[in-house]
Amino acid sequence: MPPTVFTLRSNITLPLEDVHEFFESVDLPPEIEDIQIERRNNRLLISSVASDESLSKYTPTAELKAKVYEKRVYEEPPEDRQPYANRAPDEEEEPIPSELVEYARFAGRGDEVLRNTALQLGMFTVLAELALQAEEGKLTAITAVEGELEATRIVEGDDRPATVEVVEEKTESDEAQNGVDWRENEYIK
């Protein structure tokens, strides 16, 4: 079984400028030779390029998807600024300096964030490194490598402990087996 990523959930948000800086200096896994970043309107597509030349050029490799949006960021108001109620009637209020900043939001489950299976684990490790740079959001997933399951949980840029727990739950078929067996019931003939 190839390395696989299960139950991926992400809602990490970073300034778009930080995302570009991250990909300029990131150490890529050995199976990924390069990264291609493409912007389509309000979507950011980050595609992996395989190091393995035996992988067909027509095979879709793993790709990260993010939504790009603008957000107005305000500077902190000065401490000596008087509240509105304490100002003289003819005194004008100075606006708080602000700027529009573009953000990339890697949000969704599974294919909504990381699509295509070729090089999937390599791109997930890149996404996890990117999540460590995010001040906002959470990334959780379970990965399978050579039969071993590993849990990943990153919250607001901090790598948090995570475990994989297997729980047995009753299903409808289990409940049906505990019902009345009408064919072998001694009271019905």
Side-chain angles (χ1 to χ4, degrees):
M1 177 178 170
T4 310
V5 179
F6 299 104
T7 66
L8 171 65
R9 290 189 178 114
S10 174
N11 67 352
I12 60 172
T13 303
L14 297 103
L16 186 58
E17 185 177 309
D18 292 355
V19 172
H20 285 290
E21 286 176 13
F22 171 81
F23 282 105
E24 287 174 7
S25 62
V26 68
D27 290 330
L28 297 173
E31 64 269 17
I32 299 176
E33 180 180 323
D34 196 15
I35 296 288
Q36 294 176 342
I37 300 176
E38 181 183 351
R39 179 153 178 195
R40 294 182 190 160
N41 297 326
N42 67 341
R43 289 276 176 216
L44 187 67
L45 302 173
I46 303 167
S47 303
S48 58
V49 177
S51 300
D52 185 4
E53 292 181 14
S54 67
L55 193 64
S56 170
K57 67 178 182 177
Y58 300 108
T59 301
T61 56
E63 182 175 72
L64 298 173
K65 296 188 303 184
K67 179 182 178 187
V68 178
Y69 65 95
E70 288 182 338
K71 180 177 169 183
R72 184 160 297 279
V73 177
Y74 293 92
E75 291 181 15
E76 292 293 321
E79 295 294 325
D80 61 340
R81 185 180 175 135
Q82 290 186 348
Y84 182 75
N86 295 344
R87 275 193 231 123
D90 60 340
E91 193 177 347
E92 281 193 34
E93 179 183 5
E94 289 185 31
I96 299 172
S98 67
E99 65 176 315
L100 275 177
V101 177
E102 284 188 310
Y103 281 85
R105 182 171 173 86
F106 296 85
R109 296 177 175 202
D111 283 352
E112 295 171 350
V113 177
L114 175 63
R115 68 178 184 188
N116 303 331
T117 55
L119 308 177
Q120 186 180 57
L121 184 65
M123 277 304 271
F124 173 73
T125 59
V126 170
L127 177 62
E129 286 181 42
L130 183 63
L132 291 171
Q133 307 296 316
E135 295 178 6
E136 213 179 294
K138 182 165 87 171
L139 172 73
T140 59
I142 297 173
T143 55
V145 181
E146 297 176 8
E148 294 291 319
L149 296 178
E150 184 181 319
T152 302
R153 182 172 168 238
I154 300 171
V155 179
E156 296 175 356
D158 292 329
D159 195 1
R160 304 271 175 94
T163 59
V164 177
E165 183 177 336
V166 179
V167 179
E168 184 178 345
E169 294 182 3
K170 280 193 163 189
T171 63
E172 289 181 22
S173 62
D174 292 339
E175 291 172 9
Q177 291 177 6
N178 294 335
V180 177
D181 185 1
W182 296 103
R183 292 189 181 127
E184 300 299 324
N185 192 321
E186 63 186 61
Y187 299 110
I188 301 175
K189 298 219 179 197

